[in-house]
């Protein structure tokens, strides 16, 4: 997160020379999500580094980084194709992520920080455009959630994914 991305100025971890466990977990999450969308053999022996800076942290930073990271991946692959370094795209599916949860009994999609900080249930869902799950992270913050709740979160999120993939 950039220093002014939160209400109180936070120090950039890179300036400390050490990233926190939370940052490492988010980096791994983004990497897993993006790798799932690429035929790595077709990509060949090259690395694509996606740098996600949070400009304004207001809830959903992980999911925004995954969706934005996927867009950056598409741009990077297009540049490799345009430069002749790749003959065709190694991307096998689109990837997006959404934040969904329950606040005071109401299911909210893409909640902001104030809503998220009061959530009874908080969940991140990562999917591809083949209607396959890449990862689901769900936590009962102030309460538990039922299988019916989980299915409702998934059903509501499908419309959001459809909109993201069309964009």
């Amino acid at each position: 997160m950039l220093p002014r991305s939160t209400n109180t100025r936070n120090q950039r971890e890179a300036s400390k020379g050490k990233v926190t466990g939370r940052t490492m977990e988010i980096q791994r999450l983004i990497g897993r999500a993006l790798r799932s969308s690429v035929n790595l053999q077709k990509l060949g022996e090259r690395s694509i580094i996606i740098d996600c800076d949070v400009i304004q942290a207001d809830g959903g930073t992980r999911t925004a980084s995954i969706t934005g990271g996927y867009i950056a991946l598409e741009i990077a692959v297009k540049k490799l194709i345009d430069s002749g370094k790749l003959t065709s795209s190694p991307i096998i599916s689109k990837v997006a992520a959404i934040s969904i949860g329950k606040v005071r009994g109401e299911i909210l999609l893409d909640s902001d920080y104030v809503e998220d900080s009061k959530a009874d249930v908080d969940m991140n869902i990562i999917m591809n455009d083949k209607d396959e799950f890449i990862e689901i992270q769900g936590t009962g913050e102030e309460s538990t959630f039922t299988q019916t709740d989980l299915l409702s979160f998934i059903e509501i999120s499908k419309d959001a994914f459809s909109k993201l993939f069309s964009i």
Side-chain angles (χ1 to χ4, degrees):
M1 287 196 268
L2 296 176
R4 288 280 182 205
S5 64
T6 56
N7 289 335
T8 57
R9 185 177 176 90
N10 59 352
Q11 188 176 359
R12 194 170 185 149
E13 289 182 2
S15 68
K16 298 178 196 174
K18 181 179 166 187
V19 295
T20 64
R22 179 179 185 271
T23 298
M24 287 173 41
E25 185 270 326
I26 293 170
Q27 288 174 344
R28 287 194 297 267
L29 173 66
I30 296 167
R32 284 192 306 270
L34 297 180
R35 275 192 303 276
S36 74
S37 71
V38 176
N39 177 332
L40 296 175
Q41 289 181 337
K42 197 171 179 182
L43 181 62
E45 292 192 32
R46 57 180 52 88
S47 294
I48 297 176
I49 297 172
I50 306 292
D51 186 16
C52 303
D53 281 330
V54 175
I55 296 169
Q56 183 180 8
D58 193 19
T61 55
R62 292 167 206 239
T63 56
S65 293
I66 290 165
T67 304
Y70 172 75
I71 293 167
L73 176 65
E74 280 273 358
I75 292 168
V77 166
K78 183 179 181 331
K79 286 183 178 184
L80 288 170
I81 292 169
D82 290 348
S83 69
K85 293 178 182 171
L86 284 176
T87 56
S88 63
S89 177
I91 296 177
I92 55 177
S93 62
K94 295 178 183 179
V95 172
I98 60 103
S99 172
I100 192 166
K102 189 182 267 192
V103 180
R104 294 186 185 108
E106 182 182 358
I107 295 177
L108 298 178
L109 186 64
D110 192 29
S111 56
D112 62 22
Y113 175 77
V114 172
E115 295 163 332
D116 188 56
S117 66
K118 296 175 184 172
D120 300 319
V121 178
D122 185 27
M123 185 170 290
N124 296 316
I125 303 175
I126 308 165
M127 289 188 78
N128 63 25
D129 62 341
K130 297 176 181 178
D131 220 19
E132 299 169 330
F133 294 100
I134 296 166
E135 190 155 336
I136 297 176
Q137 296 178 333
T139 305
E141 298 282 353
E142 298 292 328
S143 67
T144 59
F145 60 97
T146 66
Q147 181 176 351
T148 302
D149 290 332
L150 177 61
L151 295 174
S152 294
F153 296 148
I154 290 169
E155 196 57 40
I156 290 168
S157 71
K158 284 188 175 186
D159 188 41
F161 281 111
S162 185
K163 288 178 184 174
L164 287 171
F165 292 137
S166 70
I167 293 169

